[in-house]
């Protein structure tokens, strides 16, 4: 497994004094690159089934860049997978604010909303995902489930 060496070494705010601009939420280029690397590693860990490792990388990504959408998406996906739908909705709403053009974020938000019983909001999220990516099968299936549509021909939804 991955060790946690060096966690304390990067606790300081090196970037706090270097950016003289009026946008404190804008991470520096190096921090953004590091955050992207951590988020990528987090998604790799998640694919491999290592949820704890994935969460750790996503949190490290957000330490480097609090606006890293991929890390926020990853935390939302973890929460959804663990059945923590309210937490998933919160993370994924933030993700779609950070990356409004990310179809995957909208799809996962739809799944979280649907799991939370919020069918109308879920349908809207799935619809937005489909506008961004018309071939998104997960969004299409989610939209059909949220709206009661069924492609199988069975007409017993009412």
């Amino acid at each position: 497994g991955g060790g946690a060496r060096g966690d304390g070494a990067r606790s300081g705010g090196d970037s706090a004094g270097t950016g003289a601009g009026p946008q404190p939420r804008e991470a520096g280029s190096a921090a953004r690159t590091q955050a992207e690397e951590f988020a990528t590693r987090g998604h790799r860990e998640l694919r491999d089934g290592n949820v704890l490792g994935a969460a750790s990388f996503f949190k490290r990504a957000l330490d480097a860049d609090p606006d890293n959408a991929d890390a926020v998406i990853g935390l939302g996906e973890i929460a959804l997978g663990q059945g923590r739908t309210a937490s998933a909705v919160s993370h994924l709403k933030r993700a779609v604010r950070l990356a409004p053009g990310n179809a995957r974020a909208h799809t996962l938000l739809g799944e979280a909303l649907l799991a939370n019983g919020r069918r109308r909001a879920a349908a809207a999220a799935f619809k937005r995902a489909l506008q961004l990516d018309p071939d998104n099968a997960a969004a299409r299936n989610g939209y059909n489930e949220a709206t009661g549509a069924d492609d199988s021909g069975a007409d017993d939804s009412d």
Side-chain angles (χ1 to χ4, degrees), residues 76-144:
E77 189 171 3
I78 288 172
L80 182 60
Q82 293 175 335
R84 296 183 295 116
T85 58
S87 177
V89 167
S90 175
H91 284 300
L92 294 164
K93 279 187 172 184
R94 180 165 178 242
V96 299
R97 280 195 305 272
L98 292 170
N102 186 313
R104 185 161 179 271
H106 288 279
T107 301
L108 288 167
L109 175 59
E111 291 174 6
L113 289 164
L114 192 58
N116 217 12
R118 296 168 60 190
R119 295 172 77 89
R120 184 172 295 144
F126 289 129
K127 183 175 181 177
R128 181 66 186 131
L130 287 167
Q131 289 169 343
L132 294 166
D133 177 11
D135 298 325
N136 185 329
R140 169 97 35 228
N141 293 339
Y143 182 81
N144 289 342

Side-chain angles (χ1 to χ4, degrees), residues 1-107:
R5 292 192 333 249
D7 280 352
R10 217 175 5 88
S11 62
D14 293 70
S15 60
T18 58
Q23 300 144 326
R25 56 192 300 264
E26 175 76 18
S29 176
R32 273 196 309 274
T33 300
Q34 186 177 48
E36 289 166 11
E37 290 171 6
F38 283 140
T40 298
R41 290 173 70 182
H43 283 289
R44 191 175 308 131
E45 292 292 323
L46 193 55
R47 269 194 311 274
D48 292 345
N50 180 1
V51 175
L52 289 177
S56 173
F57 278 118
F58 294 140
K59 288 175 181 161
R60 288 170 74 181
L62 291 173
D63 285 344
D65 177 7
D67 290 339
N68 183 286
D70 284 334
V72 178
I73 291 168
L75 290 175
E77 189 171 3
I78 288 172
L80 182 60
Q82 293 175 335
R84 296 183 295 116
T85 58
S87 177
V89 167
S90 175
H91 284 300
L92 294 164
K93 279 187 172 184
R94 180 165 178 242
V96 299
R97 280 195 305 272
L98 292 170
N102 186 313
R104 185 161 179 271
H106 288 279
T107 301

